[in-house]
Amino acid sequence: MTSPTRLWRKPSVIPGFGITLGLTLMWLSVIVLIPLSGLVLKAATLGFSGFFDTILTARVLAALRLSFGLSLIAAAINVVLGLLIAWVLVRYEFPLRRILSAMVDIPFALPTAVAGIALTTLYAPNGALGFLLGLIGLKISFTPLGILVALIFIGLPFVVRTVEPVLADIDQATEEAAACLGATRLATFRRIILPAILPALLTGFALAFARAVGEYGSVIFIAGNLPMVSEIAPLLIVIKLEEFEYEQATAIAVAMLMASLLVLFLINVLQAWGRKRQGTG
Amino acid sequence: MNRDPLAVRITLIVLAFLVMAVLIGLPLVTVFAEALAKGWDEYVLALIDKLTLSAIRLTLITALISVAINLVFGIMAAWAIAKYDFKGKSFLITLIDLPFSVSPVIAGLVFVLLFGLQGWLGPTLQGTGIKVIFALPGIVLATMFVTFPFVARELIPLMQEQGTEDEEAAVSLGASGFQTFWRVTLPNITWGLLYGVLLCNARAMGEFGAVSVVSGHIRGKTNTMPLYVEILYNEYNFTAAFAVASLLAFLAFVTLAAQSLLEWKRAHS
């Protein structure tokens, strides 16, 4: 067990390292890594110019711009709403607090297709909210605004659940000290609280963004799906597949995948930063 | 403990309730209101329809297979990662988490590229007569891909926190590896395990995008519940669409309730 050839791991008396790691790697390869490599290989057969010829068409660019742009806006709105809800949940005692807290997880647990048809009906011109908003001339369902509503819905829990524990960990003595020294409540928030929760807010932002970019089920019902106007990138992949344009579907998928991996990398950096802050602060 | 003036507190609390009511409460109410819009009889009729029942059956079978397999994998992955120290561990964790950052549509697409008629293995499969795409195996594979991290992700931090001393003691007293796991480790991780299974199951039953790409939407054959909701909705059969959707919403409630119960148990054990 402790042969020097295995220096890449610390020796342990607990048996089963070989078999559990081996089977883990095998299963990971079969379900995730090999299928994903197949995607990248398929894109490679397109060649450099073939790949960019597909990506750089007006319709694909419009879909990518819509997906990434709306996801950014939705994630930014989620940061504000999520901070509000996390703040209220952590700092205040009030009736129905547990109910409010449980509701935060609904978008995680509710299947996306259900969320999709419910939001569409609610915001349609003859729906409860759609009718009211129609009175002031606002159309939500079947427009890009509808996509935004769906993306805010699915992204909200990411910000709340990331910020909550960090907010709860802040030492309130520091806040009291600031108040004693004459800082206003707003100044305390800006100088003491905001810097402490900034890594968590950014992580929540990135998580909500990553989820929104790839989101499909809750969006396609409410979007209207007009090419160049309200057609998101994941939907365009599905359309290309249905037209048997496998190469084009693959190229769009690889472009999205690379962007997602970049976001994943950023999330890891942010979380490391947050841990360092909490450790030293 | 809170130094905010009462007016600020009340304003923020009311705002929070307002946001949650509009964003999350109203859509939920919509599901049940629409499902029951034409009365109970229509609702029940939609649910006992033959095609609805076959969609429910397929969803249950898919969830059962993919949750069971991901459970076994999740335990092994958590054991390897939590109980030993080796190089590349954090990279392995990132790889396990990877499916979370992949769009569900891409998760479906990769299996079409692998097993579809034009895919890498398509021609070989056609020779053997095994159908993967537009059939149960494809639906299960896509579901396993999207639910891959759930169990492992729940268990890894829990088992890391518990350390290796108990296991080392058991082994030094002569227990085999499997005995150690069964008698020493498993009782310590039961709640975490159930939690992971719960989340994995909710996602498996509700998955839409990935399954939609590989299923082919054949009625009574490859339609899961979320896919059937889409078909009914697109046919303007709103009552039936929301009736099936209400079952899925109910599943979400049960999941959340069980989740709170498990958190409570964990805090009190």
Side-chain angles (χ1 to χ4, degrees):
Chain A
M1 281 298 243
T2 52
S3 65
T5 49
R6 288 216 199 145
L7 274 178
W8 59 283
R9 76 157 176 118
K10 257 198 203 154
S12 160
V13 294
I14 305 171
F17 177 74
I19 185 150
T20 53
L21 186 69
L23 285 173
T24 298
L25 289 176
M26 188 202 82
W27 197 236
L28 181 70
S29 306
V30 168
I31 297 296
V32 179
L33 300 181
I34 293 173
L36 280 178
S37 327
L39 179 79
V40 177
L41 274 178
K42 180 86 180 174
T45 62
L46 285 174
F48 203 68
S49 61
F51 178 78
F52 283 103
D53 282 349
T54 305
I55 295 298
L56 298 177
T57 58
R59 190 175 174 191
V60 174
L61 279 180
L64 288 171
R65 201 179 307 131
L66 187 74
S67 277
F68 283 91
L70 285 178
S71 298
L72 276 176
I73 301 173
I77 295 174
N78 274 331
V79 165
V80 178
L81 299 181
L83 175 58
L84 166 76
I85 288 156
W87 178 270
V88 165
L89 285 175
V90 171
R91 291 298 176 102
Y92 305 146
E93 282 298 328
F94 53 92
L96 303 178
R97 198 182 141 272
R98 294 190 68 92
I99 301 272
L100 193 74
S101 174
M103 275 175 77
V104 172
D105 282 328
I106 292 272
F108 277 159
L110 194 70
T112 52
V114 179
I117 62 169
L119 288 169
T120 311
T121 307
L122 188 62
Y123 287 96
N126 56 353
L129 282 179
F131 177 75
L132 286 176
L133 292 167
L135 293 178
I136 55 167
L138 216 55
K139 207 167 168 288
I140 307 279
S141 279
F142 319 121
T143 72
L145 274 182
I147 304 177
L148 192 63
V149 169
L151 296 183
I152 294 172
F153 175 88
I154 52 132
L156 186 68
F158 289 97
V159 179
V160 180
R161 293 302 182 220
T162 319
V163 173
E164 244 185 324
V166 183
L167 201 54
D169 268 355
I170 294 180
D171 186 7
Q172 298 212 352
T174 325
E175 286 175 52
E176 274 159 32
C180 288
L181 293 170
T184 63
R185 193 69 190 129
L186 212 60
T188 313
F189 180 79
R190 214 162 47 85
R191 299 273 185 83
I192 311 269
I193 301 171
L194 207 54
I197 59 172
L198 193 63
L201 275 177
L202 288 175
T203 306
F205 175 87
L207 288 171
F209 173 76
R211 172 70 200 263
V213 166
E215 181 57 22
Y216 177 71
S218 60
V219 174
I220 52 159
F221 296 97
I222 202 168
N225 303 331
L226 275 176
M228 308 292 295
V229 178
S230 54
E231 187 178 62
I232 54 166
L235 175 68
L236 197 52
I237 295 178
V238 174
I239 291 174
K240 294 293 179 195
L241 265 181
E242 280 167 0
E243 291 169 351
F244 299 104
E245 302 278 7
Y246 285 42
E247 280 80 12
Q248 294 187 24
T250 306
I252 305 168
V254 167
M256 286 188 66
L257 199 63
M258 288 190 307
S260 309
L261 290 182
L262 191 68
V263 175
L264 189 71
F265 175 72
L266 283 177
I267 293 174
N268 279 333
V269 172
L270 283 172
Q271 276 170 342
W273 180 41
R275 272 196 296 272
K276 219 171 112 191
R277 275 245 173 146
Q278 273 193 318
T280 54
Chain B
M1 72 164 243
N2 46 65
R3 309 180 47 83
D4 301 331
L6 188 65
V8 173
R9 257 183 286 163
I10 291 180
T11 314
L12 291 181
I13 291 171
V14 169
L15 270 178
F17 270 104
L18 213 66
V19 167
M20 293 301 277
V22 170
L23 205 59
I24 291 165
L26 281 179
L28 279 181
V29 174
T30 305
V31 172
F32 292 95
E34 292 286 327
L36 296 168
K38 288 184 186 160
W40 276 99
D41 291 351
E42 284 281 321
Y43 179 75
V44 175
L45 271 181
L47 290 187
I48 57 171
D49 182 83
K50 213 178 85 199
L51 293 174
T52 308
L53 291 179
S54 87
I56 294 175
R57 211 173 64 104
L58 182 61
T59 293
L60 291 177
I61 294 173
T62 306
L64 193 72
I65 301 174
S66 41
V67 171
I69 295 178
N70 276 345
L71 173 66
V72 173
F73 158 77
I75 292 173
M76 285 195 301
W79 179 273
I81 287 169
K83 298 298 172 192
Y84 310 97
D85 264 321
F86 56 93
K87 275 187 190 148
K89 193 193 262 192
S90 58
F91 184 61
L92 181 59
I93 297 177
T94 307
L95 285 182
I96 290 174
D97 274 345
L98 195 58
F100 276 152
S101 359
V102 174
S103 171
V105 168
I106 297 178
L109 170 69
V110 293
F111 291 107
V112 173
L113 291 180
L114 218 55
F115 298 111
L117 274 184
Q118 301 184 24
W120 301 104
L121 298 173
T124 324
L125 273 178
Q126 212 183 14
T128 63
I130 302 171
K131 268 195 96 169
V132 175
I133 299 306
F134 305 149
L136 181 68
I139 296 175
V140 171
L141 280 172
T143 307
M144 280 201 291
F145 184 102
V146 293
T147 56
F148 193 79
F150 280 97
V151 177
R153 197 188 172 87
E154 220 35 71
L155 287 184
I156 291 168
L158 186 66
M159 283 167 73
Q160 273 176 336
E161 206 177 296
Q162 285 169 351
T164 54
E165 283 165 19
D166 290 357
E167 283 81 6
E168 278 159 8
V171 169
S172 67
L173 291 172
S176 73
F178 190 71
Q179 277 175 324
T180 308
F181 169 72
W182 196 254
R183 303 252 181 99
V184 178
T185 311
L186 193 59
N188 280 332
I189 58 169
T190 320
W191 299 123
L193 201 65
L194 284 175
Y195 200 93
V197 167
L198 201 68
L199 296 181
C200 185
N201 178 62
R203 180 69 194 263
M205 287 189 172
E207 178 52 30
F208 179 74
V211 173
S212 167
V213 171
V214 295
S215 126
H217 307 264
I218 308 162
R219 268 171 211 250
K221 277 199 174 146
T222 62
N223 253 343
T224 61
M225 286 166 78
L227 298 181
Y228 195 48
V229 168
E230 182 196 20
I231 288 190
L232 291 169
Y233 186 85
N234 287 342
E235 287 173 346
Y236 303 101
N237 192 348
F238 295 134
T239 306
F242 278 102
V244 180
S246 74
L247 288 185
L248 289 168
F250 185 68
L251 167 76
F253 291 146
V254 172
T255 303
L256 289 181
Q259 207 179 327
S260 314
L261 188 75
L262 285 177
E263 264 161 25
W264 186 84
K265 283 254 183 194
R266 199 191 282 180
H268 288 77
S269 66

